[in-house]
Amino acid sequence: MSNNIVWHNHKVTREERAAPKKQHPCLLWFTGLSGSGKSTIANALDVALYQRGYHTFLLDGDNVRHGLNRDLGFSDEDRVENIRRIGEVSKLFADAGLIVLSAFISPFTSDRRMVRSLLPDGEFIEVFMDTPIKTCEDRDPKGLYKKARAGQIKDFTGIDSPYEAPEHPEVILDTSSQTIEECVEQLLEYLIERKLILERQD
């Protein structure tokens, strides 16, 4: 970083940006194997929050690799940089007062810890999609496990690249035994309990 760069403080604080939205900014970080349900649950929660009048933004792994991270591959080094960039973007959205939902395999504990360190205490919510790999592989929605098993894809998480499961996630979900509705309800209850959103009036 250049020595000529100076941080510029904004006149409007993140709390002031969030206040009209009647929500507390936070980042729900969905992590888990490919096919574990990260994007499905994040999208369903996004809809549920939107329908309740909350202001959110969803960042999805594949979508981001079409633009911001289109120059990155899937080596360990590129995975680290992928998560670093997403962490910084997620922080900016949270600073804007939004509830951010980020769905990324993010296989390394150190990377998720780095993103957590970017946000104030209590605003990083690690959502571990603890769906068994057999279920993920049976689903194989993108056909990636089949290609990985055939050696057509290298560095595939869960096959020839490791996934470091969270030790103390805020929320644990398993889409092999929970429905989409049950997962969303569990997440909403967590957000309400932590006073990140208001108690529902319906």
Side-chain angles (χ1 to χ4, degrees):
M1 182 182 295
S2 170
N3 292 328
N4 298 320
I5 297 175
V6 179
W7 185 263
H8 182 78
N9 291 318
H10 294 176
K11 296 296 184 182
V12 181
T13 67
R14 65 201 310 275
E15 291 77 16
E16 289 170 333
R17 294 184 191 280
K21 302 174 177 60
K22 295 181 172 55
Q23 63 189 42
H24 191 92
C26 62
L27 166 59
L28 291 103
W29 189 273
F30 293 81
T31 176
L33 297 172
S34 178
S36 61
K38 298 181 300 299
S39 295
T40 298
I41 301 304
N43 270 282
L45 178 62
D46 194 30
V47 170
L49 290 170
Y50 172 78
Q51 290 174 340
R52 288 164 173 77
Y54 293 107
H55 297 246
T56 65
F57 196 81
L58 171 61
L59 294 163
D60 181 82
D62 281 354
N63 291 358
V64 171
R65 282 183 176 273
H66 277 86
L68 176 66
N69 292 350
R70 65 192 302 175
D71 59 322
L72 299 177
F74 291 92
S75 67
D76 286 356
E77 293 77 13
D78 279 2
R79 287 178 184 273
V80 170
E81 175 61 13
N82 183 53
I83 298 305
R84 187 195 70 80
R85 293 184 193 177
I86 296 308
E88 294 289 351
V89 171
S90 297
K91 178 184 181 296
L92 291 174
F93 278 119
D95 285 346
L98 302 182
I99 296 173
V100 188
L101 300 88
S102 292
F104 294 84
I105 293 174
S106 48
F108 303 127
T109 301
S110 58
D111 294 341
R112 301 191 301 266
R113 185 182 302 121
M114 178 274 298
V115 178
R116 183 185 291 271
S117 73
L118 296 175
L119 286 98
D121 289 345
E123 290 190 12
F124 180 87
I125 302 159
E126 191 170 42
V127 182
F128 176 32
M129 304 302 300
D130 191 18
T131 305
I133 188 170
K134 183 180 186 308
T135 301
C136 298
E137 194 162 356
D138 287 345
R139 290 173 178 165
D140 204 7
K142 304 170 188 175
L144 299 179
Y145 283 97
K146 184 177 180 180
K147 290 181 179 178
R149 292 293 187 190
Q152 297 172 13
I153 298 178
K154 299 297 183 184
D155 301 317
F156 189 75
T157 303
I159 303 299
D160 58 353
S161 186
Y163 177 79
E164 299 171 358
E167 294 183 1
H168 305 289
E170 279 72 18
V171 179
I172 300 176
L173 303 174
D174 179 356
T175 57
S176 72
S177 59
Q178 292 175 274
T179 65
I180 294 174
E181 293 75 18
E182 288 170 342
C183 290
V184 169
E185 185 64 25
Q186 184 176 336
L187 289 164
L188 289 173
E189 290 300 328
Y190 180 87
L191 293 173
I192 292 169
E193 179 184 335
R194 296 298 303 274
K195 296 181 169 44
L196 297 169
I197 62 175
L198 300 175
E199 187 78 39
R200 282 173 292 172
Q201 302 300 314
D202 52 12

